[in-house]
Amino acid sequence: FTVRDAPTDPTIKWIKTQTRPDAVFLAKQNTYDPVTLAGRKNYFGSTYYSEVTGSNVSSRRSFAKELFEANETATLSKARQAGITYLIIPNGEVDDFPYFVNRPFLDKSLTAVHTNKDVTIYKLK
């Protein structure tokens, strides 16, 4: 099993070099999360450890769905208030990404600051 790292993964490299250490992302749940591998926080990353220790992740899960599927600016404002600074959307079909992303709304409402074949990163602040 290959794990990408910053020198070879363009998303990890961009996050490490172009964002502040206190940046908070909302990204697809991954066990090997490019956000945390870059040394940043993921608002709703892999929930395995949170769930097995008894933490209630349902409120973050439902807010992640609301933000990934946003269609009104109030949702974006709510994300900013929660401290989320970037939203990472996978490009193309992804089997384990269960959200409907309204790209026209995001493109109109946010600034895409990085894109590659795998993802588009939007800045919320």
Side-chain angles (χ1 to χ4, degrees):
F1 181 77
T2 303
V3 177
R4 294 175 163 184
D5 61 4
T8 60
D9 184 274
T11 303
I12 297 173
K13 186 175 181 180
W14 186 88
I15 293 169
K16 283 181 71 100
T17 62
Q18 301 300 313
T19 67
R20 295 172 42 104
D22 61 348
V24 177
F25 291 76
L26 177 59
K28 174 182 172 293
Q29 290 179 261
N30 281 327
T31 301
Y32 295 101
D33 178 13
V35 173
T36 55
L37 289 173
R40 304 300 185 264
K41 295 175 185 170
N42 191 342
Y43 180 84
F44 188 66
S46 177
T47 60
Y48 174 77
Y49 294 106
S50 300
E51 289 174 329
V52 298
T53 60
S55 296
N56 182 354
V57 298
S58 63
S59 63
R60 286 202 180 205
R61 177 177 284 118
S62 97
F63 183 62
K65 178 177 174 42
E66 182 181 346
L67 183 52
F68 279 126
E69 298 181 2
N71 59 11
E72 56 184 37
T73 56
T75 303
L76 303 178
S77 296
K78 188 175 168 183
R80 289 181 186 103
Q81 290 171 354
I84 299 169
T85 46
Y86 295 94
L87 179 63
I88 302 180
I89 305 295
N91 291 332
E93 291 292 319
V94 178
D95 291 336
D96 59 346
F97 190 74
Y99 309 103
F100 169 77
V101 177
N102 186 347
R103 283 195 186 260
F105 171 76
L106 294 177
D107 288 337
K108 179 180 75 170
S109 304
L110 299 174
T111 301
V113 292
H114 177 76
T115 190
N116 60 46
K117 69 179 182 65
D118 298 319
V119 299
T120 298
I121 301 176
Y122 294 94
K123 187 167 186 173
L124 278 98
K125 287 189 174 185

